[in-house]
Amino acid sequence: MMIDQQTTINGLPADVLRPFPDKIRQLVDKIFGSGTLSPQATGSPTELMQQEGARVLVVNASGVNGIAQKTFDYLKAQGMNVLGPGIWLIIPTDIYTLRYRTGRC
């Protein structure tokens, strides 16, 4: 199913396994049967997405300023139910401690 190719990555020898797509297709057809698969849902992707009512949270963990807002605007324009935009903050666990009191809300 694969061909072993000798190559280098950053000057170091590396073995790369490259799949044979035709062989994979033959195996899939053998296991699951041949034929074409089609989505069970019908309609436009936008209508289906809106019917599902899924919510998408957009957060920026890339370090690129403004990318979350641009993505938010684009997805909103496509009709998605978008939450955000926000910034993904990673808080070191060794600095902060959460304490829960019992009996109080």
Side-chain angles (χ1 to χ4, degrees):
M1 286 267 199
M2 304 262 192
I3 184 171
D4 185 12
Q5 294 180 322
Q6 299 271 330
T7 187
T8 59
I9 298 175
N10 293 330
L12 300 172
D15 288 326
V16 177
L17 297 176
R18 189 177 140 245
F20 292 124
D22 293 339
K23 299 265 185 192
I24 293 171
R25 171 51 53 200
Q26 289 173 359
L27 181 62
V28 169
D29 288 347
K30 181 179 177 182
I31 294 171
F32 299 106
S34 61
T36 59
L37 298 176
S38 60
Q40 292 180 351
T42 57
S44 77
T46 302
E47 290 172 353
L48 293 170
M49 172 188 60
Q50 291 169 345
Q51 288 172 8
E52 182 179 334
R55 294 173 295 173
V56 177
L57 175 61
V58 177
V59 293
N60 183 3
S62 70
V64 177
N65 288 334
I67 195 73
Q69 183 66 53
K70 288 179 184 177
T71 304
F72 173 85
D73 293 341
Y74 173 78
L75 296 175
K76 195 76 166 168
Q78 301 302 310
M80 285 189 177
N81 183 13
V82 188
L83 309 173
I87 298 173
W88 184 263
L89 298 175
I90 300 173
I91 301 171
T93 56
D94 59 339
I95 297 176
Y96 299 95
T97 303
L98 294 176
R99 296 180 189 215
Y100 296 95
R101 290 186 168 184
T102 58
R104 291 187 171 178
C105 294

